[in-house]
Amino acid sequence: MKKHVLLAVALLTGLLMAGCGFHLRGSQALPPNIESVAVTAVKPHALLERALNERLDVYQINRVALSQLTGNNDTAIIQLMPETLERRLLSVFSTGQVAEYELIYGVTYQVTFPDHEPIRGYFEILRDYQDDPDQVLAKSRELDLVVGEMRNEAADRIIRQLARQASEL
């Protein structure tokens, strides 16, 4: 009896979620009007470009090199501007040394869909970062990991916004 009730509740929940347009966040698919994506960066060998290309592969979105584009292609072009990383002071130790920062990772990009005007986008990703002057090497490595996670989150966000903008065309 319990199994039947549990199954009915699971089916009802699934139907309600599907009916309201809910999609899993990790299942990014481009609409049929976009076949592939080309990524380029103003700064050569940008780390965000590498992260974005890796995330496109994870989502199984076809990507092409900018040099391979032909005139009548259904390819969206993402152009990445230089990323920014700023630190804002949050707190200090009683000795006056910085105890905590807020990291602000800024991303500016431009998406060009076939036969449409370019769409420019900007967003920021924020993280708190605790500093310890006694463990400089460990904190330096931790900062690199945090910035890498922020970069991956930025790549995911660009793909989500790309899918949303493409579906609005």
Side-chain angles (χ1 to χ4, degrees):
M1 181 70 176
K2 288 183 182 181
K3 289 182 183 180
H4 296 299
V5 172
L6 193 60
L7 181 62
V9 170
L11 284 173
L12 184 60
T13 304
L15 287 173
L16 287 173
M17 284 188 177
C20 74
F22 175 80
H23 297 289
L24 288 176
R25 204 169 167 177
S27 60
Q28 300 300 325
L30 293 179
N33 59 332
I34 303 298
E35 290 179 1
S36 56
V37 176
V39 179
T40 182
V42 172
K43 185 179 173 184
H45 309 294
L47 294 175
L48 181 57
E49 179 184 14
R50 184 181 310 156
L52 184 55
N53 283 327
E54 288 173 1
R55 300 309 292 167
L56 288 169
D57 290 343
V58 167
Y59 291 127
Q60 297 176 347
I61 296 174
N62 186 28
R63 60 183 176 94
V64 296
L66 203 56
S67 60
Q68 296 174 339
L69 291 181
T70 59
N72 57 355
N73 202 347
D74 290 338
T75 301
I77 301 170
I78 302 173
Q79 183 176 19
L80 302 171
M81 309 305 165
E83 58 197 358
T84 60
L85 182 64
E86 299 175 16
R87 296 188 305 183
R88 185 178 3 202
L89 180 67
L90 290 180
S91 64
V92 294
F93 292 118
S94 60
T95 61
Q97 291 180 317
V98 177
E100 189 175 17
Y101 289 106
E102 180 177 51
L103 300 174
I104 305 164
Y105 182 75
V107 175
T108 304
Y109 67 99
Q110 179 174 295
V111 177
T112 306
F113 293 103
D115 303 323
H116 289 84
E117 290 294 316
I119 301 170
R120 202 167 178 89
Y122 175 79
F123 59 87
E124 292 178 342
I125 297 174
L126 307 175
R127 292 283 189 281
D128 289 346
Y129 173 73
Q130 295 180 350
D131 199 11
D132 185 357
D134 295 331
Q135 298 180 358
V136 175
L137 285 176
K139 284 299 182 175
S140 174
R141 177 70 178 133
E142 181 183 348
L143 179 61
D144 290 343
L145 290 172
V146 170
V147 171
E149 289 173 2
M150 294 169 79
R151 193 172 286 119
N152 287 336
E153 183 178 331
D156 283 338
R157 191 179 222 172
I158 290 171
I159 292 170
R160 283 194 309 272
Q161 290 178 354
L162 175 73
R164 182 185 51 80
Q165 291 167 342
S167 65
E168 292 175 357
L169 295 178

